[in-house]
Amino acid sequence: MNTDRLPVAWLARRARSATAILVLPFACVIALSLVSSELHALRGRRNAAPSPFDAVISERAEDLFRQGARIFRDDTFGDETFWGDTLKLHLAIGGARFGGVGPGVSPATALAVGLKVDVDKVPQPILNALKAGAVDLNDPANTLALLDAKAVVGVTAIRGASGRVESMGVQCSLCHSTVDDSFAPGIGRRLDGWANRDLNVGAIIALSPDLSAVATLLQVEQSTVRSVLNSWGPGKFDAALFLDGKAFRPDGKSAATLIPPAFGLAGQNQHTFTGWGSVPYWNAFVANLEMHGSGTFVDPRLNDPDRFPVAARAGFFDVRPTGDSVDKVTSKLAALQFYQLAIPAPAPPKGTFDQRAAEHGETLFTGAARCSTCHVPPLFSEPGWAMHTGAEIGIDDFQANRSPDRRYRTTPLKGLWSHQKGGFYHDGRFATLTAVVQHYNRVFNLRLTDSEMNELVEYLKSL
């Protein structure tokens, strides 16, 4: 080729191309060498001891987890002053034989009202006797033996030197833990964070010999208080009763709501069916206003005589320890929150849903059924302010209006399979997941077939 006639620019481009071809292998070698060096350095850092502050964080996390588990399972926040000294519920549990009143509460009765027994806390001699059928489940003395061993989930009994039951308290785990029934119904290994939908809180409180404090708070007779408590039924509790005094819905049904699970809360902004606040807010609310522990709680929204007449009258908008009392709540909120956020939603057992149908259901969930618009994976709620009016989800606003924001929370869906007992929504109005899906199909005019709705249900059971 005669290069004399070729343009200079073309020759320059060819020269650069040739140079690039020669340089490229060397550049690759250098780049690979740098990557190899970086990977080696990363491996070295991974295997090396953590930095001093990383070690501090790790130690803090482990400490918070251990503290939080203990608080969740065993701490009364000083509420024995209310349940024991004020309501005298311990007298009904112990019975006349142990310094109380009445027949006492036998293990059979305790299990019948939904109390659970942690098999890992039962002393081996008692466990052996249970296995042999040698324990009288109708004898209150055996209930006290289980309480002494701290084996009754969420309940603490305080006994004096003479054996008399002198007081009692309750813990978070009373409502938000259950057991796996691995030993017998109601007896097994604990499952923290699971809603105890067998627990008849109202019936248990109604056993109290003296409900005058509650009657005074609500400005009604004790007989009325007992009627209201006994109207709740298993798995329900009315946290707003001490705020607005509304015991029944406009349709005459109980205003109590289902006990929600306390697992799968990491990443969720709201804790309860109607919002109120985040996890530490609700822990402070419950520890002070529901469990009646000794602590500090501030929420000026409750200083509203029209919406929250009971709370405003009782000063629940600004609660502080008085007299010789000390704050037994505030210092525990951080660890309690950390532990609860660490509890994952339980995975469904194998064989409890149709895998193929669930796969089709997932496609519908994120597509034609539009479920993921609000239940955004993987939180399965809305990041941010996940609140809606009753009209937006096709239901009444009674329970929403009992909360400051007048809204319902978009409930996280993971672990739905584990709390189907009692129904769905805040008050259990939908008995099954199928009924929930049918509701939305009608309200949003989704036009899903029966087969498609069944596939959605199988997907919900798989979460």
Side-chain angles (χ1 to χ4, degrees):
M1 179 183 295
N2 185 358
T3 59
D4 294 339
R5 294 179 178 273
L6 295 176
V8 173
W10 185 89
L11 288 172
R13 286 197 299 272
R14 287 297 299 263
R16 284 197 297 271
S17 299
T19 302
I21 292 170
L22 291 173
V23 169
L24 183 59
F26 293 102
C28 289
V29 169
I30 293 170
L32 289 172
S33 176
L34 289 172
V35 170
S36 177
S37 298
E38 183 63 22
L39 288 173
H40 181 74
L42 283 171
R43 282 194 292 269
R45 288 196 293 273
R46 193 178 299 125
N47 296 327
S51 70
F53 195 60
D54 283 350
V56 169
I57 295 172
S58 179
E59 183 178 349
R60 170 68 168 163
E62 292 178 8
D63 188 47
L64 282 172
F65 181 86
R66 286 193 299 269
Q67 285 186 49
R70 180 192 58 76
I71 294 165
F72 185 86
R73 296 173 180 179
D74 302 323
D75 208 305
T76 65
F77 307 108
D79 66 15
E80 54 271 19
T81 300
F82 178 76
W83 299 103
D85 300 351
T86 301
L87 298 193
K88 301 177 177 59
L89 183 56
H90 64 289
L91 298 179
I93 291 176
R97 182 176 161 194
F98 296 97
V101 296
V105 175
S106 68
T109 300
L111 292 171
V113 295
L115 291 172
K116 304 296 181 180
V117 176
D118 181 352
V119 72
D120 292 328
K121 292 289 187 70
V122 179
Q124 194 61 48
I126 297 178
L127 198 60
N128 293 339
L130 282 169
K131 289 178 180 178
V135 174
D136 184 357
L137 297 180
N138 293 308
D139 186 351
N142 289 322
T143 301
L144 294 180
L146 292 170
L147 285 166
D148 289 342
K150 301 187 184 302
V152 179
V153 176
V155 181
T156 294
I158 301 170
R159 286 227 254 179
S162 64
R164 291 168 56 95
V165 184
E166 296 184 345
S167 191
M168 64 160 291
V170 300
Q171 292 89 29
C172 303
S173 54
L174 174 65
C175 293
H176 300 290
S177 291
T178 185
V179 296
D180 63 6
D181 297 339
S182 55
F183 183 87
I187 306 174
R189 289 186 169 85
R190 70 162 59 234
L191 298 169
D192 278 352
W194 292 44
N196 186 352
R197 294 287 173 85
D198 296 316
L199 187 68
N200 197 327
V201 184
I204 293 171
I205 300 174
L207 293 173
S208 301
D210 184 2
L211 287 171
S212 59
V214 179
T216 299
L217 177 67
L218 298 176
Q219 296 185 346
V220 297
E221 299 295 325
Q222 287 196 55
S223 58
T224 301
V225 174
R226 294 186 197 281
S227 296
V228 170
L229 292 171
N230 284 315
S231 74
W232 291 357
K236 288 188 174 183
F237 179 76
D238 191 353
L241 180 62
F242 284 176
L243 307 180
D244 61 15
K246 296 177 180 179
F248 298 97
R249 302 183 332 202
D251 61 6
K253 294 181 180 179
S254 171
T257 59
L258 288 169
I259 296 172
F263 56 57
L265 295 176
Q268 305 293 338
N269 185 41
Q270 305 290 347
H271 189 142
T272 65
F273 294 117
T274 52
W276 283 91
S278 59
V279 175
Y281 170 91
W282 195 250
N283 286 338
F285 177 104
V286 171
N288 285 283
L289 304 188
E290 307 299 330
M291 295 169 66
H292 297 273
S294 174
T296 302
F297 178 76
V298 178
D299 186 346
R301 298 176 299 179
L302 295 180
N303 190 15
D304 185 337
D306 295 325
R307 296 192 62 204
F308 306 114
V310 178
R313 188 168 61 241
F316 287 164
F317 52 87
D318 190 356
V319 176
R320 315 272 177 169
T322 59
D324 295 332
S325 300
V326 297
D327 190 331
K328 298 181 179 180
V329 176
T330 305
S331 64
K332 298 162 185 173
L333 292 175
L336 186 57
Q337 178 192 17
F338 190 92
Y339 179 65
Q340 285 180 268
L341 295 184
I343 304 174
K350 186 177 180 180
T352 57
F353 64 93
D354 184 321
Q355 180 66 49
R356 186 172 181 179
E359 291 171 0
H360 294 162
E362 182 177 11
T363 301
L364 290 165
F365 187 91
T366 57
R370 307 203 302 268
C371 307
S372 61
T373 302
C374 295
H375 297 280
V376 182
L379 289 178
F380 292 98
S381 182
E382 289 155 307
W385 199 65
M387 306 297 292
H388 295 274
T389 64
E392 288 174 320
I393 56 177
I395 66 169
D396 64 89
D397 58 5
F398 169 74
Q399 201 65 237
N401 286 340
R402 301 179 81 191
S403 68
D405 289 326
R406 303 177 187 268
R407 300 290 194 278
Y408 292 107
R409 176 191 67 159
T410 301
T411 300
L413 301 180
K414 284 188 176 180
L416 275 178
W417 67 272
S418 68
H419 52 97
Q420 297 186 64
K421 183 179 289 186
F424 297 93
Y425 267 50
H426 56 281
D427 53 10
R429 65 181 60 197
F430 298 117
T432 64
L433 285 171
T434 298
V436 175
V437 173
Q438 289 172 338
H439 168 76
Y440 282 120
N441 191 41
R442 181 178 63 258
V443 170
F444 296 137
N445 194 27
L446 299 174
R447 298 180 180 178
L448 300 176
T449 66
D450 288 344
S451 176
E452 288 173 328
M453 287 191 285
N454 288 336
E455 288 170 343
L456 262 179
V457 168
E458 292 304 305
Y459 176 62
L460 293 174
K461 287 160 59 179
S462 76
L463 295 176

